[in-house]
Structure formats: C-alpha cells, structure tokens
Amino acid sequence: MQRQMPALSFMLLLLAIVALFSLSGNVLYQAGIFYDSPGGNPLHKIHPSFYLLLLSLASWTLYQGGVAQLYYLFTVRSHFLLFAAALCLLLHDVVLGRPLSSAIVSYVSAALFVLLLKALSPARLQQLKLLLLVLLSANALVGIYEYAGGGLIAPLVLTDAASGEVIDTSEWGQIRSAGLLGHPLISTMLSGFYLVCYVARALFARVSLSESVTALLLLTALPLFGGRGSILAAVIVIVLLLLLKALQSMQRRVLTQRALLYLLLSLVLLPLLSYLAYSIGLLEPVLSRLEDDQGSASTRLIAIELMLDTSWLNLLLGDIDRSLSGKVLLFGSRYGIEIGWIALLLTYGAVLSGLLLYALYCCLQQLYQRLSPLLLFAWLYAFIAWSSGTGISGKTIMLSAALVMTVLLFCDLTAKTPAKNQSSSML
C-alpha cells in the first residue's frame, strides 16, 4: 500500500521529536509540570512527546484512507512485535499496580516513533535529519555553557528520601553538564551514539559538513557530561571501526588518500586534542568521576547482589511479589539499579524482557536491510553503554531517542547507494 503521511501528522511528529530531545524532567518542572518529581497531575507523568505522537496518529485518521494506512503500518511484522511487546510490559504494570508512565514513556513511545518515521518519504526524513542535527548541537552547546557557567540551566530535580519533598539544588553548582536532555548520563549516551554513527559513516560512506560540525560540538561536550561507561563504550566501538577500515585497506592492498588522512589525523591530531582538552579542564568531569564516583560503582555491585538474591520465579516473571523496591532500600542502593539489563530482568522478568529484546532485534534487522549495515556499530555501542547504566529500563527516553537517531542518521544510505554497497561488502 502506498503510504504518504499528511502534512499535519508530519508536523506533529516533528514536534514530538523536538520535545523528545529538548524537554527534560528538569525543564518541565520549571514550567510547573511534575513529570519526574513528586505531586502533580498523573497525566504529567507521561512525556509530552507521547501526546504529540498520539495526536499525529489521530490526525492521520481524519484523512481519506488514513485508517487503512495506519492499519497497514501496525501490521508490519517488526512494528507489530515491538508495539505488542510494549503493550505486554504495560499490562504487566497494570496487573501489579505499578505506575503506567514507565512503560508508556520507555517502550510504547519507541514503537510509535519507529512506525511513524518509517512511513515518511526520503525528502521528509532528510528534513527531520537536519532538525536532529540542530537539536543535538543545541544539547552540546547547552552542556558547554553549563560547564563554563558552573551550573545547570534547569537545576536537577532531586527528592528527599525521608520527606519526599523536592530539594532545592539551584545554588549547588554542577561540575557535570546535563544539556537539554537533563541528565549527564543520557546526554553522554546519546552523544556517544551519534559519534559512533558519524565515524561509521565517515569511514565507510559519506558525511556532510553539518554532520561534521555536530560531531565536533558533541566531541567537545562529551567529557563535560562525564558518563564513564558510555565514553568507554564509544572508544571501544570507534577503535573497532578503525581496525576494520585498516583491515579493509590491507585486503585491497591499497591505502586511499581518504584512509591515509584519517590515519594521520588519528596519529597526530587526536593526542594533541586530548592534551589540549586536559590542559583547559574539559576532562575534569570524567577524571573526577574516576577519583570519586560517590558510590556509583558500588551501586552496580549491589545490582548483581539483588539479582542473586531473587527467586527463580521472580527472575522468570518479574517483580510479581512487589518486593523489588524494598530490596533496593534494604541493600542500600543510592541510585536504584544501575545495570540496565538487570533492572529490566528484575522488573519485568525473563519472559517479557526476552520478548522486548526479540522485538527490538526484528526492528533493527528490518532497518539493517532497509538502511545500512553500519547501524550495527551504533547498536553495539548502545548495548555496551546500557550494560553500565540504566539503559532502557525505568522511565527513560533513551530507547526512543536511539531509534529515532538510527532512522534519521542512516536514512540516506539505501540499498541503491554505491557507498552502502561498499560498506555491505566490508561487513
């Protein structure tokens, strides 16, 4: 069936992407919306991007043939599986009486973003790609501004464990930037995700000037966000990409001018840039976390202890006896469960977690075939980064953001593109 998203639906989807990458819980709190803090209307607990996605879908039904087109989109196997998995996690929360916002924000939104983005024409995807570059650049610029100013543009919203009241952090100052995304770890992870995508394209396809400018800004802001796990994951995957490029050149027994340029830049400029960043203090947030992580590492050890102390039935079906929150307090975890896959397993169980991961695999497999094999490197990075942080567990936009970035950053690499064929032969 020929699909063409109406202009109104497209504009609402565009606004949903803007909201996803700019409206953090801290920003919403400043506007009187208690999205990630105690109190407020229950409807405020759901991210505004989800409401814009619903409006985009609803507006499409007003056009002739819109219902049939949406039906077709929902019945595509990869779309259906991801949406069904999200609904199963949502039903799990309903049965156990947990807040529904977590599954809606983390998983249902992700399924809807993929469904709508894959209905767009290449021209509209290119428009959204430029918007994404602007949003990511703005996040980096805000992070640089926050570090230079010594405080966040929207102070962190923290809650006192004893009283449940919000703590005023406006006068604290902040050595780690948070950016528009509102949290150092989210900004680090998504910045690293973009940089891996950029390096993959630069080595095996092509990049534009705007993509290069965005990469430079994100590379500057990355250490200011200070997420150690995500930064290490980015370094690992980028080194892997460089090794694969070198292996490809050796197999062809020819070193192209482009490959030679990248090699010289790596050997000469990168050490100089690293020293410059260290000398002007840009690496201070990362180094301070290595010196004293304020209990973050011990929290990860506690996550493993929690899993070992959980019954096989709960590991299989999730937190069916509703004991998880009590165990987290009992074990003294300051930041919850900071290993994403363990948090997902303990919350939803192996059955539903496996269904979600299988649905995500099918979705990525379809994108792999439609866009580019290079996206595998970005998701290898995501898997490593989410293994050291909260990842896609809990109420987070990271799954939606990663899927949006995947579609938009690789949307111009189709099966008919010569550069794509070159990268396919490499992989």
Side-chain angles (χ1 to χ4, degrees):
M1 176 182 293
Q2 183 66 31
R3 307 185 302 275
Q4 181 61 45
M5 181 181 291
L8 178 58
S9 301
F10 173 71
M11 288 302 300
L12 289 167
L13 173 60
L14 183 151
L15 292 175
I17 293 175
V18 172
L20 184 73
F21 285 91
S22 62
L23 296 182
S24 68
N26 305 337
V27 171
L28 293 172
Y29 181 79
Q30 301 302 315
I33 299 175
F34 299 88
Y35 163 71
D36 221 5
S37 53
N41 192 309
L43 295 178
H44 289 173
K45 304 302 180 182
I46 301 174
H47 197 271
S49 60
F50 176 74
Y51 295 118
L52 289 165
L53 288 173
L54 291 184
L55 289 175
S56 180
L57 290 169
S59 66
W60 202 339
T61 63
L62 301 177
Y63 292 83
Q64 185 177 6
V67 174
Q69 291 173 338
L70 287 175
Y71 173 78
Y72 172 81
L73 288 172
F74 273 101
T75 53
V76 173
R77 181 173 178 269
S78 60
H79 299 173
F80 175 79
L81 281 174
L82 188 57
F83 190 68
L87 290 182
C88 286
L89 268 60
L90 183 64
L91 180 61
H92 189 273
D93 286 339
V94 171
V95 172
L96 296 182
R98 289 199 297 257
L100 306 184
S101 58
S102 178
I104 291 174
V105 172
S106 300
Y107 312 114
V108 178
S109 286
L112 294 180
F113 267 117
V114 172
L115 180 147
L116 290 171
L117 283 172
K118 287 171 62 178
L120 294 177
S121 65
R124 282 183 167 174
L125 286 174
Q126 284 293 328
Q127 293 173 354
L128 291 182
K129 179 179 179 178
L130 292 176
L131 173 66
L132 176 66
L133 295 178
V134 171
L135 291 170
L136 291 173
S137 297
N139 187 63
L141 289 171
V142 169
I144 295 170
Y145 173 80
E146 288 176 333
Y147 180 75
L152 303 181
I153 60 168
L156 290 174
V157 180
L158 302 177
T159 306
D160 183 83
S163 64
E165 297 180 353
V166 174
I167 303 172
D168 181 14
T169 62
S170 58
E171 302 298 329
W172 283 15
Q174 184 76 9
I175 192 170
R176 297 172 68 196
S177 301
L180 286 174
L181 294 169
H183 196 284
L185 296 184
I186 298 177
S187 288
T188 307
M189 188 272 158
L190 295 182
S191 297
F193 192 93
Y194 176 84
L195 289 172
V196 170
C197 293
Y198 175 81
V199 172
R201 286 180 55 105
L203 290 175
F204 301 105
R206 62 177 68 92
V207 293
S208 65
L209 178 60
S210 56
E211 289 173 307
S212 299
V213 172
T214 302
L216 181 60
L217 289 172
L218 290 176
L219 185 61
T220 303
L222 187 65
L224 306 182
F225 297 133
R228 299 161 300 172
S230 295
I231 292 175
L232 178 60
V235 171
I236 291 173
V237 178
I238 289 174
V239 168
L240 175 62
L241 282 164
L242 291 171
L243 290 175
L244 288 174
K245 183 64 178 181
L247 179 62
Q248 184 188 55
S249 299
M250 291 173 61
Q251 289 176 339
R252 293 180 177 180
R253 296 183 180 180
V254 59
L255 189 63
T256 64
Q257 291 182 350
R258 193 179 190 183
L260 180 61
L261 176 61
Y262 288 132
L263 179 61
L264 291 175
L265 287 175
S266 300
L267 294 176
V268 179
L269 287 183
L270 291 182
L272 291 176
L273 291 175
S274 298
Y275 176 76
L276 178 62
Y278 173 77
S279 62
I280 63 178
L282 293 181
L283 298 182
E284 186 176 348
V286 179
L287 296 176
S288 65
R289 293 286 289 172
L290 293 174
E291 181 181 353
D292 180 13
D293 66 357
Q294 299 177 343
S296 181
S298 63
T299 303
R300 287 163 173 80
L301 293 176
I302 290 174
I304 299 175
E305 294 175 2
L306 278 169
M307 184 180 65
L308 296 176
D309 191 58
T310 302
S311 68
W312 284 106
L313 185 61
N314 279 36
L315 288 176
L316 187 65
L317 301 178
D319 187 29
I320 54 176
D321 58 5
R322 307 180 191 180
S323 62
L324 183 57
S325 58
K327 283 185 177 180
V328 171
L329 293 176
L330 181 64
F331 277 75
S333 177
R334 296 181 59 184
Y335 306 106
I337 305 174
E338 285 214 342
I339 298 179
W341 310 119
I342 292 180
L344 190 66
L345 177 67
L346 295 182
T347 304
Y348 293 106
V351 174
L352 290 184
S353 297
L355 175 61
L356 175 68
L357 294 177
Y358 176 71
L360 184 58
Y361 164 78
C362 292
C363 180
L364 292 176
Q365 183 184 46
Q366 204 276 339
L367 291 175
Y368 171 99
Q369 296 170 348
R370 175 175 174 175
L371 300 178
S372 168
L374 294 175
L375 63 85
L376 291 180
F377 294 103
W379 281 88
L380 172 62
Y381 159 79
F383 180 86
I384 298 173
W386 289 340
S387 298
S388 66
T390 54
I392 61 175
S393 62
K395 188 162 71 171
T396 171
I397 65 163
M398 280 199 274
L399 181 59
S400 293
L403 287 169
V404 169
M405 291 172 69
T406 299
V407 175
L408 297 183
L409 294 178
F410 294 104
C411 66
D412 59 335
L413 299 181
T414 63
K416 299 178 181 179
T417 304
K420 163 76 174 295
N421 294 332
Q422 179 184 1
S423 63
S424 298
S425 65
M426 181 274 297
L427 294 171

